[in-house]
Amino acid sequence: LYNAGHLYEAAYTHHLATGKRNFLDIALKNADLMVETFGEGPEQIHDVPGHQIIETGLIKLYQQTGKEDYLKLARYFLDNRGNPDNHSPLFGPYSQDHLPVTEQDEVVGHAVRAVYMYAAMTDIAVLMEDDAYAAAVDKLWNNMVSKKIYLTGGIGARHEGEAFGDNYELPNLTAYNETCAAIGSVYWNQRLHRQTGNVEYLDVMERTLYNGLISGLSLDGTQFFYPNALESDGVYKFNQGACTRKDWFDCSCCPTNVIRFIPAMPGLMYAKDDATIYTNLYASSTAEIMLGDQKFTLRQRTGYPWEGKVMLDISPAAETTATLKFRLPSWVRNVPMPGGLYTYLEQEVQAPAIRLNGEVLALEPEAGYFTVSRAWQPGDQVELDFPMPVRKVVADDRVADDRGKIALERGPLVYAMEAADNPGDFDAIKLDPTATFTVAARPDLLGGIHLLTNEKMTAIPYYAWSNRGVGKMKVWLERAASK
């Protein structure tokens, strides 16, 4: 059923991209077999998938065809998890099959299975207007962001079971943080944002994208992390028998998931409703978005994530009254991530700015966005300025592995110390909470990065670590006594 689910998602996307039906028709034929085979009927199999993903695949086929049977089967698979009257024995917490899904309020078990299921639950909450599903998803998300997520956006603390740990169980050296789980989290958070417009879901999505997700891919695109640790001693072979990325895995879900995810990135950048365009992510790009019967062309020019200036050329085909919302990332709003698990040491930060056609707008952020409603004309230009100081982060004291430690960030990027840049006694490095850093552009290093340096240490973006051979790395550093 897991393989069938990915088949459906691939076929849906292939049809969307090419207009061809050859792959889609194969998927529909298989989905019709599933509808015939599984369900409540006396001749049908009463069971649920061990590894979720068919649910979101079926929902995509429903959205493509309008065939209610696909939506009903997805709902059947979800409704009957944790239901011993329908199938027994239950798979248990490992497969989120310990309680009915609407009674689950803690993220548990295999992290990839979990976020795939939560994404499908969010779809059901929206498409079937189900309040019980919506309430459960809200509780699960709040548990994850307040107690079970890494600073990098990674999820899944334990190698055993590729699973979430207990609340506040977030070890660094042995962190699992499967690349597939990061991808699943992005898809779930995008759905939650589309459901509610709540900017906090995008905060989790962006942090995951720039840190715990792309770390799974080497800079040359040929090697992969299955787990994404936040610390390495250069000895512990955390990546399925390796201390660094590998060419391939017997279970190749992470490499192939990255390969399907990267081309889907444009679909994350914007969202819309009837009269509003939401600019959610910042990257040099051009997009064409239909708002009602009017086409808007939005062109972004930016050095993000290295620089906090974004220039947007906004051109409707003709003068059009509409609302455009420009997201202020959580780090601009002085919050690393929603949930309160992480906080910045320094609370004084420079305010972001927005200009329209060269003139500063005296706007207060509203629900995490700068909101501009006006009659837009071809050639309008919006400029955003997000200050990017180096920030020091501390974790909730209940996270034992991070107690008494500090991590570094700049913009959306989490930074790490790697032994390659810090010769000497790497394990003795400590971070003074009052230390200052110089930001240095290094286009010649690691595909082009910005280094953080001072007289004692050098830090690189976390995603770029382990591209220069096996060596030690730390995201969280022991706090030094202030001078």
Side-chain angles (χ1 to χ4, degrees):
L1 299 187
Y2 169 83
N3 291 338
H6 279 301
L7 174 81
Y8 302 166
E9 296 224 347
Y12 167 88
T13 306
H14 180 262
H15 177 68
L16 199 67
T18 67
K20 296 178 181 179
R21 290 193 60 96
N22 54 336
F23 193 3
L24 181 64
D25 287 340
I26 293 168
L28 294 175
K29 183 178 179 182
N30 185 267
D32 289 340
L33 175 65
M34 295 296 182
V35 167
E36 181 184 327
T37 304
F38 291 91
E40 301 283 5
E43 302 300 319
Q44 292 178 299
I45 296 173
H46 299 186
D47 213 338
V48 300
H51 194 314
Q52 303 90 315
I53 196 65
I54 193 172
E55 300 87 347
T56 54
L58 284 164
I59 291 165
K60 282 205 163 98
L61 294 185
Y62 159 73
Q63 291 174 308
Q64 179 64 46
T65 65
K67 187 170 180 176
E68 294 275 346
D69 286 347
Y70 302 147
L71 182 63
K72 289 176 181 175
L73 182 57
R75 174 76 185 246
Y76 169 83
F77 283 145
L78 291 167
D79 277 349
N80 286 285
R81 297 195 91 79
N83 177 9
D85 295 331
N86 180 70
H87 77 108
S88 191
L90 300 179
F91 297 125
Y94 170 75
S95 292
Q96 300 76 42
D97 191 30
H98 56 303
L99 288 170
V101 295
T102 54
E103 296 177 20
Q104 296 185 29
D105 58 9
E106 181 181 355
V107 294
V108 297
H110 190 279
V112 180
R113 298 169 195 245
V115 287
Y116 285 171
M117 185 180 86
Y118 305 152
M121 289 171 64
T122 306
D123 283 342
I124 293 297
V126 172
L127 295 172
M128 303 187 83
E129 298 180 347
D130 192 296
D131 291 341
Y133 268 73
V137 163
D138 188 54
K139 289 177 183 176
L140 289 161
W141 184 84
N142 277 295
N143 173 252
M144 183 179 83
V145 299
S146 65
K147 298 178 175 69
K148 296 194 180 188
I149 194 167
Y150 282 87
L151 186 63
T152 57
I155 51 173
R158 297 177 180 173
H159 281 247
E160 182 184 359
E162 302 180 318
F164 287 105
D166 294 332
N167 290 335
Y168 305 106
E169 181 188 341
L170 296 166
N172 294 312
L173 181 71
T174 60
Y176 200 69
N177 287 342
E178 186 177 333
T179 301
C180 282
I183 291 172
S185 175
V186 166
Y187 284 138
W188 180 30
N189 277 281
Q190 186 205 19
R191 282 169 168 82
L192 289 165
H193 177 258
R194 290 173 65 189
Q195 177 191 18
T196 64
N198 183 342
V199 76
E200 289 187 324
Y201 301 125
L202 301 177
D203 296 334
V204 177
M205 186 172 86
E206 181 183 70
R207 178 163 292 263
T208 306
L209 282 171
Y210 280 102
N211 301 288
L213 195 159
I214 59 167
S215 57
L217 183 66
S218 64
L219 295 176
D220 64 5
T222 66
Q223 294 183 313
F224 307 89
F225 277 143
Y226 206 109
N228 293 270
L230 273 73
E231 183 174 332
S232 174
D233 59 9
V235 178
Y236 172 46
K237 295 179 178 179
F238 64 92
N239 190 35
Q240 300 205 354
C243 291
T244 186
R245 294 175 184 85
K246 291 176 67 173
D247 297 336
W248 201 247
F249 307 103
D250 290 340
C251 175
S252 69
C253 60
C254 293
T256 48
N257 218 349
V258 170
I259 271 92
R260 77 155 174 153
F261 179 81
I262 297 295
M265 278 289 299
L268 305 176
M269 290 188 62
Y270 294 95
K272 66 175 183 176
D273 59 25
D274 292 341
T276 306
I277 295 174
Y278 296 74
T279 303
N280 296 330
L281 296 174
Y282 299 104
S284 291
S285 58
T286 301
E288 292 181 352
I289 299 172
M290 293 300 298
L291 199 62
D293 59 358
Q294 193 64 263
K295 182 171 77 173
F296 275 74
T297 301
L298 285 80
R299 180 180 172 225
Q300 291 192 38
R301 290 171 288 149
T302 179
Y304 199 93
W306 312 112
E307 298 169 5
K309 293 184 185 297
V310 183
M311 189 74 74
L312 290 108
D313 299 317
I314 299 163
S315 293
E319 182 177 308
T320 304
T321 298
T323 298
L324 267 63
K325 288 180 173 285
F326 306 97
R327 173 176 163 263
L328 286 86
S330 59
W331 51 270
V332 174
R333 308 192 317 270
N334 210 29
V335 178
M337 253 195 303
L341 196 54
Y342 305 101
T343 54
Y344 291 126
L345 276 181
E346 315 92 339
Q347 293 299 306
E348 294 296 323
V349 290
Q350 186 181 344
I354 181 171
R355 296 176 180 83
L356 174 62
N357 298 327
E359 294 188 10
V360 175
L361 298 180
L363 285 180
E364 288 296 320
E366 178 185 329
Y369 289 93
F370 278 140
T371 301
V372 183
S373 300
R374 69 189 300 270
W376 295 93
Q377 301 181 35
D380 277 341
Q381 195 171 78
V382 169
E383 185 179 352
L384 302 166
D385 191 355
F386 303 141
M388 273 192 178
V390 177
R391 306 299 299 271
K392 300 185 188 77
V393 187
V394 292
D396 188 301
D397 268 353
R398 287 169 286 189
V399 181
D401 252 35
D402 301 341
R403 200 175 295 141
K405 297 178 182 178
I406 301 173
L408 294 172
E409 295 183 4
R410 182 174 179 266
L413 297 172
V414 174
Y415 274 71
M417 305 290 168
E418 201 170 21
D421 306 300
N422 296 277
D425 189 352
F426 183 80
D427 293 325
I429 295 176
K430 293 188 177 183
L431 181 55
D432 186 333
T434 65
T436 58
F437 287 84
T438 299
V439 180
R442 286 289 302 274
D444 59 319
L445 182 63
L446 294 169
I449 61 169
H450 283 199
L451 289 176
L452 306 185
T453 61
N454 66 16
E455 66 277 7
K456 294 184 184 258
M457 63 189 70
T458 297
I460 63 168
Y462 166 77
Y463 76 80
W465 88 276
S466 201
N467 278 279
R468 295 172 290 181
V470 173
K472 295 183 177 182
M473 179 276 295
K474 288 183 181 179
V475 169
W476 291 96
L477 296 173
E478 294 284 349
R479 182 193 294 238
S482 299
K483 294 178 181 177

